[in-house]
Amino acid sequence: MVALLAGASLLAMLDGLLELAFPGRGHTHELVVVALAGAWIVCGGLFLGMAAAAVGRRGRGAAAWPAAGTAFWCGVAVGAAPPAASLLARALPHGIGPVSPPLLGLLAAAGLLCAAPRLGARLRPGRLAPPIVAAGALLLVGSPFLATGLDGTAPAYRGRPDPRTAAPPGAPDVILVSVDTLRADAVFGPASAPTPNLDRLAAEGAWSDHALSSSNQTMPGHLGMLTGLDAMHHGLRSNLELPRSDQVLLAERFRAAGWATAGVVSNGLISAFSGFDRGYELYDDGLIAWAIVARAFRYAVDQRSWLGWLLGPKQLDTVLRRLQWRALRDRQAERAAGTLGEQVTDRALTHLQAMHASPRPAFLFVHFMDAHTPYLAPTQWRGRLTGALPELPGEWRPEPGVGITPERLEMLEDALRRGEPGAGDVAAWYHAYYLESVAWIDHCVGRLMDGVRASGRPTVLLVTSDHGEHFGEHGLLEHANSLYRENLEVPFVFWGLGVPAGVLAGPVHLEDVAPTLLALAGLPAADLDGRAATAGEFQRAHVAADARRISFASDGWKWIGEWSADGVEAVALFHTELDPGESENLIGKAEGPEALRLALRAALQRDAWVPDAAAPGAEQAAVLQELGYVDADGRQRGG
């Protein structure tokens, strides 16, 4: 048994020390402990199998027990399976045909197990076996006391001006607020949430009842917002991809022009792990970065260790909590209390105050996540809208401290599809529950505005979103599942120095955010697809895309197609001037104007999307799984 454990321990410790399961992220001790624990469990099972075989051989007069060298190499085979799977996952992220990387790792280990007798005859552990096992035992016993945990405290802003650049005299502070998953009619619709602070901004500034996003998902929606490029130009179609590093973000433009730059974000998909931190002197993703690492670590353990292969999700979570992943537990508790928006606001005001200590104008990007599933606002904000509605049946009620999960919404979507009685009422109740989160965010925006007004500094502030959300329209819930208006229309409000008051005359696109803010700051934006929303009325076609679909709208018509091997295939056509709800599909009944087809053809010719077969990194995969974009096997949901 000692020789068996020595071989497994040696490979497990090397696996953890080399960080093969979670490369380059640290947490070496935790990786070693996880690798050791899984290997020892498997060795225990293998030992029992050897013992049973030895009993059978003794009855036949054969050698009762395998030699120490053979046992050692059997242990090496056990310890080698996870690192082999990790290496193969990076070399062959999708496996070979139906054979996944973990299975390939197991097959490699099986080959080594078959060769154990021959290898053991040549190389035995000798006296090294007991010390190796003792070292492994010490690491396992001491793991609850040695684990480091993670830290989510707010970083301090310590920006330093670049002596080569200076902002124009009198240049304003610029604040961009993005509210994740905020559909336009939640603010400006006939059944909107109570949003007195956003209403005041609109009354004092400029607004459009909606802007059109380039995507139905977080990363491509934000990329259009922060680059000023449309869906064909920025080329990002889904959250499973990453933005190109050569695309210039808004913060990079402001920093190069002499602005102090800081950001506070609460969605891991736009954290520093995804490259959205470029251009910031401070990018505060501390509310999520440490939790992302914890989730990514769990994802890596689940996919690339014996412990993950042997244990179910709940058992694995219990084991990892023993390794003191307190940060993840605390983050979950904070989200359950609905305090995330408050913490984002606190950090944003702290960083803004620190930037105000400098004469440089400030650019601040603030991202709120509270309107995203599970739609959790603080308890005291609950019932403001849902309290007036009939009580939900027990199976549909939000879980206390959990909210409305993607799984619950998926069940409701199935019920809507089957036409179950009452499903529409449940969707309406969930919509009201969501609007309570929107009202809470409006309160947070009000606090931010109080800080801006108190500073007395010239400021421009713009509030928008990356995409919308379905609540039963077209039989759908959530987002990332259609290019209908509910997924693409977002609010667009801006206020402050140089902002012309009133309703915007022309159609606004999300790629107009960057040129609008640059124009109000006195900076050039001629190289962008978007237009400054201060420029008056102008007609433009709008294009949006995801990994499955593309939509194109122009002159009162909207066309939706699906990507295919031959290009695109038309699936829907709407006359949006006559049918703004996009309810009557005219495919087969009308062709639409020739100008629409010509403009669509021109848009497709400049498509910058590049197929990328690489699987998402551990952090990105963990966040995608937590937010419900992919299932446990990494397959995209809702597409």
Side-chain angles (χ1 to χ4, degrees):
M1 182 64 174
V2 173
L4 179 68
L5 288 177
S9 299
L10 183 63
L11 264 291
M13 286 188 283
L14 285 174
D15 183 14
L17 290 170
L18 296 175
E19 300 178 4
L20 295 178
F22 198 45
R25 310 311 201 278
H27 311 292
T28 302
H29 169 260
E30 285 85 352
L31 289 168
V32 170
V33 169
V34 164
L36 276 170
W40 279 36
I41 290 171
V42 175
C43 281
L46 188 59
F47 176 78
L48 292 175
M50 287 180 174
V55 171
R57 283 194 295 269
R58 187 181 295 115
R60 295 191 300 270
W65 198 257
T70 300
F72 173 79
W73 281 98
C74 286
V76 169
V78 169
S86 300
L87 293 171
L88 287 166
R90 284 190 281 281
L92 303 165
H94 303 294
I96 301 175
V99 185
S100 64
L103 188 54
L104 287 173
L106 291 172
L107 291 174
L112 191 58
L113 195 65
C114 294
R118 290 190 177 186
L119 292 170
R122 298 190 177 194
L123 182 61
R124 305 176 183 86
R127 296 180 180 179
L128 292 176
I132 293 172
V133 175
L138 284 174
L139 284 170
L140 287 173
V141 172
S143 62
F145 308 101
L146 298 176
T148 57
L150 293 163
D151 182 21
T153 56
Y157 175 78
R158 295 188 177 89
R160 296 288 184 270
D162 186 336
R164 298 170 297 178
T165 59
D173 292 341
V174 177
I175 301 175
L176 171 59
V177 177
S178 171
V179 182
D180 210 296
T181 320
L182 180 59
R183 51 188 270 171
D185 63 6
V187 179
F188 296 123
S192 61
T195 54
N197 295 295
L198 289 172
D199 293 345
R200 182 182 176 186
L201 284 177
E204 297 177 359
W207 64 283
S208 174
D209 60 356
H210 72 273
L212 292 167
S213 177
S214 65
S215 177
N216 53 24
Q217 298 173 47
T218 295
M219 291 175 68
H222 275 99
L223 191 62
M225 179 197 310
L226 297 172
T227 60
L229 305 178
D230 69 14
M232 294 294 97
H233 199 162
H234 68 62
L236 197 68
R237 291 186 184 171
S238 81
N239 288 329
L240 276 67
E241 302 167 345
L242 288 173
R244 298 202 316 265
S245 60
D246 61 341
Q247 292 173 332
V248 182
L249 300 181
L250 188 57
E252 294 179 283
R253 294 178 183 270
F254 275 112
R255 186 175 184 183
W259 267 253
T261 55
V264 185
V265 298
S266 50
N267 185 331
L269 291 174
I270 56 170
S271 69
F273 293 118
S274 301
F276 280 88
D277 61 331
R278 288 186 282 117
Y280 292 94
E281 294 169 345
L282 167 72
Y283 199 66
D284 183 358
D285 56 5
L287 287 169
I288 48 174
W290 41 272
I292 292 170
V293 173
R295 292 189 191 92
F297 180 89
R298 184 201 178 283
Y299 178 84
V301 169
D302 183 50
Q303 298 291 313
R304 301 171 187 173
S305 76
W306 278 114
L307 212 58
W309 298 339
L310 294 171
L311 299 181
K314 290 184 179 179
Q315 293 81 6
L316 182 60
D317 287 339
T318 300
V319 170
L320 293 182
R321 286 193 188 98
R322 299 281 182 181
L323 292 175
Q324 296 186 343
W325 291 105
R326 293 184 301 267
L328 178 57
R329 182 186 60 211
D330 294 344
R331 168 70 174 81
Q332 290 170 331
E334 290 164 357
R335 185 71 190 270
T339 61
L340 186 59
E342 183 176 19
Q343 293 178 76
V344 169
T345 308
D346 289 343
R347 291 184 180 221
L349 289 170
T350 298
H351 300 323
L352 190 62
Q353 185 177 11
M355 287 192 287
H356 284 170
S358 165
R360 289 193 296 161
F363 170 70
L364 177 67
F365 174 54
V366 184
H367 173 271
F368 291 99
M369 189 65 175
D370 307 65
H372 194 286
T373 51
Y375 316 132
L376 276 175
T379 305
Q380 62 270 27
W381 287 76
R382 289 293 168 218
R384 298 190 176 198
L385 299 175
T386 54
L389 300 176
E391 189 172 347
L392 283 178
E395 69 270 20
W396 293 115
R397 292 174 192 164
E399 300 176 47
V402 176
I404 302 172
T405 63
E407 292 75 20
R408 183 68 58 86
L409 292 170
E410 199 170 64
M411 288 170 54
L412 179 56
E413 197 172 81
D414 288 340
L416 288 169
R417 194 176 296 115
R418 293 192 301 268
E420 290 186 11
D425 294 334
V426 176
W429 199 99
Y430 283 2
H431 190 189
Y433 188 84
Y434 159 84
L435 292 176
E436 290 172 348
S437 296
V438 175
W440 159 243
I441 292 169
D442 179 79
H443 167 76
C444 296
V445 171
R447 285 189 57 212
L448 186 62
M449 283 305 305
D450 289 343
V452 170
R453 296 178 196 275
S455 74
R457 289 167 57 116
T459 303
V460 171
L461 181 141
L462 193 152
V463 181
T464 188
S465 177
D466 51 351
H467 57 75
E469 187 87 328
H470 277 297
F471 284 97
E473 305 88 0
H474 308 280
L476 298 170
L477 293 154
E478 296 190 272
H479 53 273
N481 52 8
S482 86
L483 294 178
Y484 293 122
R485 59 178 297 182
E486 292 82 10
N487 263 349
L488 299 181
E489 293 184 359
V490 297
F492 192 98
V493 186
F494 60 113
W495 166 97
L497 182 68
V499 174
V503 182
L504 298 174
V508 184
H509 299 176
L510 201 55
E511 61 262 27
D512 297 337
V513 168
T516 297
L517 294 178
L518 291 169
L520 291 168
L523 300 177
D527 58 329
L528 304 182
D529 298 329
R531 294 279 302 276
T534 57
E537 184 172 2
F538 47 92
Q539 295 294 326
R540 290 170 298 166
H542 173 260
V543 62
D546 64 16
R548 177 178 170 184
R549 316 165 190 81
I550 176 173
S551 72
F552 194 82
S554 179
D555 298 323
W557 290 81
K558 180 175 178 179
W559 178 91
I560 299 177
E562 291 188 350
W563 302 107
S564 68
D566 299 324
V568 288
E569 180 181 347
V571 295
L573 178 68
F574 303 105
H575 196 324
T576 52
E577 283 189 358
L578 304 177
D579 178 25
E582 301 172 359
S583 58
E584 185 182 0
N585 188 350
L586 299 177
I587 288 287
K589 303 175 185 177
E591 293 186 356
E594 176 67 18
L596 179 72
R597 296 193 293 274
L598 292 175
L600 170 63
R601 191 176 300 123
L604 290 171
Q605 288 175 348
R606 59 184 183 86
D607 185 10
W609 180 72
V610 177
D612 184 5
E619 290 88 358
Q620 189 179 357
V623 176
L624 288 167
Q625 200 172 92
E626 182 210 2
L627 296 178
Y629 288 110
V630 299
D631 60 21
D633 297 320
R635 293 186 296 264
Q636 188 169 13
R637 292 178 59 249

